[in-house]
Amino acid sequence: MAFENYPEAEQTPLKAVNGAPERKNNFRPIITGLLVAALLGTWGYIIYDKNQTKETIVQKDTMIASTSSQRDQLQKELEDAAMRYDVLKTSNSKKDSAITVKDKEIADKKSRIQELLNKANATQAELNEAKRLIASLNGDIEGYREQVAVLQQQKTQLIAEKEVVTQQRDRVQRNYDSSTLVLKQKEDMLNVASTLHASNFNIVGINEKSNGKEKTTSTAKRVDKLRISFDLDENMVSESGTKEIFVCITGPDGNPIAVQALGSGTFSTRAGVQKPYTQKLDVNYTQNKRQTISFDWKQNSDFATGNYKIEVYNNGFKVGEGFKPLKKGGLFS
């Protein structure tokens, strides 16, 4: 009998245990496909999420850049407004009360705007508020400028008016000074013209006797007092009234005789020099009338031998003088 060798294992299905046929595994491709799909989905999600994140970052960067640019622009507008405001304040050093109140309002707005712009994470609402306040600030500064312009105009007008008033005042002052000078010159002329003149001097030494009688003498050691007389000449300018007459006696030694206890003192000459006087006389003078003045000078010491000079002053001027020599006593004097 002939036998053929056929590969039964490749032509017949596998037998299951206990004679049942074995099923093929059909789930592996499905699982593999699901895993591949899941992997692809994960990659797709990762790529999508990354793109979304990148877009978000770009949007945020754009927003930050826009916000920063907007804040920088607002900061520049604030600085420009502040500079204009400072220039106006400098040009208007003298302000009225209304402008002083406006100063505070402007300063408060500047402070609030700067506070908003200094925020690192300023919101759009805060930037909008800053923008609105800057617009309001510019309006305030414009109003301030108009007020300053009005004040400057008023100042210019006041300066012009002051110049006119100053010129008028200076003209009046010059006229007044001129009139005052003329009056003073006239007064000085009248004062000089009213100065009295002394003449006809008569100076004698008087020896007083024990019985009360008097005897004239030229011997120094016998003189108890000097009797001095002179005339005040007529003067049509000098008004009637009390006149001060200063009599200055100079002794033989060249020194003025002035005894304070006897009424002596000093007076000012026309040259402004303080000069000692021996006796002051208050004379009741009558205008344009010659008057004889006489008085005695008795000192508390002996009269010396030599020449005595008697000078008379009125209105600071020397108006006359006389001399009296006293001799040394002899055996028959």
Side-chain angles (χ1 to χ4, degrees), residues 202-251:
N202 184 32
I203 305 165
V204 295
I206 302 297
N207 175 242
E208 295 177 327
K209 300 294 185 179
S210 58
N211 58 7
K213 292 184 178 181
E214 297 178 344
K215 181 181 179 181
T216 62
T217 179
S218 296
T219 303
K221 67 178 182 180
R222 295 182 180 178
V223 174
D224 296 311
K225 59 185 178 182
L226 291 177
R227 179 161 293 160
I228 304 169
S229 64
F230 54 87
D231 290 342
L232 293 177
D233 299 337
E234 303 89 338
N235 190 304
M236 297 179 62
V237 177
S238 184
E239 297 179 352
S240 299
T242 302
K243 309 294 181 182
E244 288 184 337
I245 305 297
F246 295 96
V247 179
C248 304
I249 302 176
T250 303

Side-chain angles (χ1 to χ4, degrees), residues 122-303:
T123 65
Q124 187 62 44
E126 290 173 329
L127 293 178
N128 289 339
E129 181 185 355
K131 186 175 182 179
R132 178 181 58 79
L133 288 174
I134 288 176
S136 176
L137 179 63
N138 285 327
D140 291 340
I141 293 174
E142 180 61 23
Y144 188 100
R145 186 192 65 78
E146 292 174 357
Q147 287 181 296
V148 169
V150 171
L151 289 177
Q152 291 290 357
Q153 184 178 3
Q154 293 175 349
K155 180 180 178 182
T156 302
Q157 183 178 354
L158 288 175
I159 290 175
E161 293 175 355
K162 180 182 177 182
E163 181 66 22
V164 173
V165 172
T166 301
Q167 291 176 357
Q168 293 175 345
R169 182 204 63 190
D170 292 344
R171 184 165 56 252
V172 171
Q173 185 66 45
R174 286 193 298 270
N175 293 338
Y176 172 78
D177 292 341
S178 178
S179 300
T180 302
L181 179 62
V182 171
L183 288 174
K184 187 177 184 307
Q185 290 173 343
K186 289 183 177 180
E187 288 177 357
D188 290 342
M189 291 175 61
L190 288 173
N191 186 264
V192 172
S194 65
T195 300
L196 300 175
H197 182 263
S199 62
N200 297 325
F201 279 81
N202 184 32
I203 305 165
V204 295
I206 302 297
N207 175 242
E208 295 177 327
K209 300 294 185 179
S210 58
N211 58 7
K213 292 184 178 181
E214 297 178 344
K215 181 181 179 181
T216 62
T217 179
S218 296
T219 303
K221 67 178 182 180
R222 295 182 180 178
V223 174
D224 296 311
K225 59 185 178 182
L226 291 177
R227 179 161 293 160
I228 304 169
S229 64
F230 54 87
D231 290 342
L232 293 177
D233 299 337
E234 303 89 338
N235 190 304
M236 297 179 62
V237 177
S238 184
E239 297 179 352
S240 299
T242 302
K243 309 294 181 182
E244 288 184 337
I245 305 297
F246 295 96
V247 179
C248 304
I249 302 176
T250 303
D253 58 359
N255 293 321
I257 298 174
V259 183
Q260 190 173 1
L262 300 178
S264 300
T266 60
F267 70 98
S268 180
T269 67
R270 204 69 171 189
V273 178
Q274 291 297 309
K275 183 176 180 63
Y277 63 84
T278 307
Q279 187 72 50
K280 175 186 174 184
L281 306 175
D282 291 327
V283 178
N284 187 16
Y285 178 77
T286 302
Q287 186 177 26
N288 201 30
K289 183 178 180 180
R290 179 181 293 269
Q291 293 177 233
T292 299
I293 307 300
S294 179
F295 75 99
D296 294 340
W297 169 252
K298 186 175 183 180
Q299 60 188 30
N300 51 9
S301 61
D302 295 336
F303 284 89

